[in-house]
Amino acid sequence: MSSPAARFDRGHTDDLMTFLTASPSQYHAVANAAERLEKAGFRQLAETDAWDSSTGGKFVLRGGAIIAWYVPEGAAAHTPFRIVGAHTDSPNLRVKPLPDTGSQGWRQIAVEIYGGTLLNTWLDRDLGLAGRLTLHDGTDRLVNIDRALMRVPQLAVHLDRSVNTDGLKLDKQRHMQPIWGLGDVHEGDLIAFLEDEEELERGSVAGWDLMVHSIEPPAYLGRDRELLAGPRMDNLLSVHAGVVALAAASAAEKLDHIPVLAAFDHEENGSQSDTGADGPLLGNVLERSVFSRGGTYEDRARAFAGAICLSSDTGHAVHPNYAERHDPSHHPRANGGPILKVNVNQRYATDGSGRAVFVNACERAGVPWQTFVSNNSMPCGTTIGPITAARHGIQTVDIGVAILSMHSARELCGADDPYLLANTMVAFLES
């Protein structure tokens, strides 16, 4: 790749693997993103404080979401935004408010299904537990039990002879509760265990947002290690690329716009929350950035009208065993570069003008690219792109990396595609 913007290589994929391992929950992901941005010179702002007109890198954290932006020297109040959008959450199993349960001498954890997860991929895996604990004083504590703590055991084939002919049928309530020990069930055991693990005083935890994760680390796969297998690539792959790209763009010699990273929570269940793309967080942050630099409503309108968002989320690579499920002329392939996601019914926000934005960024970065569109007989998924476009009136283009096993506990992509995506994002943010 000859373009000056094409600065990332396979080392970026190595770093992505580190990021995935360190981010078993969306709360860990935004904490890790914030730490990386701070090392690049960004500073955290509190939403409850007054914001000043200073230049430089800034970010806001709220729960499992992060909005970060860089104000270059000389930026006017109406300077437009260049936004990379992504989401931090992944489908998984979430701990219920009363977590201690069990049956037949087995101690289990009561979980609820979050998002459209592939249930069977959570069976017979060694599982850890991660998320955040909220203490009685209102502070949060991140927790990560990254060892074999629990398991969802599958029924033996001897007791279900039809499983390989009629298919596996899982009841979300009866069949997905992990086991984590033997003996009688005692209310409060799980939280007491976590308090001990975190060296907290017993009874100090008032609330929790906890989720199960596979402890198997990411790994290169294939004869030539040309593939990457790992958890939560939907969509921490895009979050990681966005963080790296924003840090790189902040070092550019000249910017005539404000580069932004917006990574939201709750995309997998509709984005309707105070930390989701359908909430007010992004609009509030962008508006406050305009107004803190002395801008008026007119400046705000001009900045939004000139803004463009690349909404980055994983998409479907053509599956070798199910090629008929894909559009016959659109077959995204691993290591073929980022994909442009198109749906005329606005499940994706891309139009012809947005296509030009994406293609220009790829060409500046020297990156190959592909197009994804659904088979007409199959329903099309969606992401934060149409929500961002509709809520804020910002031109939005849906892009991503083509993967297999989407919504599995362990997904698969080409090992080159993460850095090809990051190079495209840099070219977009620096343009």
Side-chain angles (χ1 to χ4, degrees):
M1 285 177 269
S2 59
S3 167
R7 61 197 67 180
F8 306 122
D9 54 20
R10 186 62 75 88
H12 174 91
T13 306
D14 294 337
D15 188 58
L16 168 62
M17 295 166 72
T18 299
F19 186 80
L20 293 172
T21 300
S23 304
S25 76
Q26 66 270 43
Y27 310 111
H28 290 82
V30 299
N32 291 323
E35 181 180 3
R36 288 164 177 256
L37 290 172
E38 285 179 335
K39 290 179 179 178
F42 286 66
R43 61 188 176 91
Q44 183 176 355
L45 300 183
E47 292 186 81
T48 54
D49 290 345
W51 295 359
D52 59 35
S53 60
S54 61
T55 58
K58 310 172 185 184
F59 64 88
V60 166
L61 299 180
R62 185 192 289 185
I66 181 170
I67 311 294
W69 67 103
Y70 181 82
V71 181
E73 292 287 343
H78 62 268
T79 300
F81 301 98
R82 291 290 180 273
I83 306 164
V84 167
H87 69 87
T88 61
D89 59 319
S90 299
N92 56 19
L93 312 179
R94 303 279 176 105
V95 175
K96 288 185 175 181
L98 298 176
D100 298 291
T101 187
S103 178
Q104 309 302 318
W106 297 97
R107 298 171 67 192
Q108 295 173 277
I109 303 300
V111 296
E112 190 173 3
I113 310 303
Y114 178 82
T117 186
L118 283 171
L119 297 178
N120 65 294
T121 66
W122 291 94
L123 302 179
D124 297 333
R125 288 185 183 271
D126 295 336
L127 303 173
L129 188 67
R132 67 177 179 182
L133 304 173
T134 301
L135 308 186
H136 279 285
D137 63 7
T139 60
D140 290 331
R141 176 75 68 90
L142 295 185
V143 60
N144 180 14
I145 310 301
D146 198 32
R147 61 178 174 84
L149 181 67
M150 58 185 72
R151 182 182 179 94
V152 183
Q154 187 170 186
L155 186 65
V157 67
H158 313 76
L159 304 179
D160 185 5
R161 296 288 184 180
S162 65
V163 66
N164 290 325
T165 55
D166 297 341
L168 178 65
K169 297 178 176 61
L170 294 171
D171 182 280
K172 293 179 180 180
Q173 181 63 40
R174 292 187 296 124
H175 300 150
M176 297 306 298
Q177 311 306 312
I179 61 172
W180 76 307
L182 299 171
D184 297 331
V185 176
H186 300 286
E187 184 177 348
D189 270 0
L190 177 64
I191 301 306
F193 162 75
L194 294 175
E195 288 171 336
D196 292 344
E197 288 284 314
E198 292 298 305
E199 298 182 347
L200 296 168
E201 183 180 348
R202 285 287 184 95
S204 60
V205 172
W208 52 87
D209 300 281
L210 300 168
M211 57 208 69
V212 169
H213 68 276
S214 171
I215 64 170
E216 185 180 4
Y220 287 111
L221 185 147
R223 186 194 67 180
D224 299 317
R225 292 162 53 89
E226 70 267 47
L227 300 171
L228 174 66
R232 300 176 295 281
M233 287 196 283
D234 179 10
N235 188 33
L236 293 188
L237 187 158
S238 296
V239 174
H240 173 261
V243 170
V244 170
L246 179 61
S250 71
E253 292 184 5
K254 180 177 174 56
L255 292 171
D256 59 4
H257 54 269
I258 296 174
V260 179
L261 168 66
F264 302 99
D265 198 355
H266 298 130
E267 187 274 345
E268 297 293 357
N269 63 6
S271 295
Q272 291 186 322
S273 70
D274 68 323
T275 53
D278 204 18
L281 182 58
L282 176 61
N284 286 349
V285 169
L286 298 185
E287 286 181 349
R288 292 185 68 178
S289 175
V290 170
F291 297 150
S292 69
R293 285 176 280 122
T296 63
Y297 183 81
E298 183 72 10
D299 293 313
R300 180 262 185 218
R302 293 174 66 187
F304 277 54
I308 305 174
C309 175
L310 285 189
S311 164
S312 182
D313 200 351
T314 55
H316 301 293
V318 61
H319 198 300
N321 300 335
Y322 301 91
E324 73 281 358
R325 301 294 183 98
H326 300 264
D327 182 86
S329 58
H330 295 78
H331 283 179
R333 299 180 183 274
N335 289 334
I339 56 174
L340 180 71
K341 301 160 78 171
V342 179
N343 181 266
V344 296
N345 293 302
Q346 290 300 292
R347 300 292 286 174
Y348 303 127
T350 306
D351 61 11
S353 175
R355 182 182 190 275
V357 170
F358 172 72
V359 171
N360 287 337
C362 290
E363 290 179 347
R364 282 193 298 274
V367 168
W369 59 277
Q370 311 175 81
T371 303
F372 171 82
V373 65
S374 289
N375 187 306
N376 287 342
S377 63
M378 302 290 293
C380 180
T382 189
T383 183
I384 65 169
I387 295 171
T388 303
R391 183 169 184 84
H392 305 294
I394 291 175
Q395 181 184 12
T396 302
V397 190
D398 275 301
I399 68 166
V401 161
I403 71 171
L404 293 181
S405 306
M406 186 183 292
H407 288 195
S408 169
R410 192 169 179 84
E411 297 161 324
L412 182 72
C413 75
D416 296 341
D417 282 329
Y419 71 78
L420 296 176
L421 175 68
N423 285 326
T424 302
M425 288 180 176
V426 173
F428 168 73
L429 291 177
E430 289 186 346
S431 64

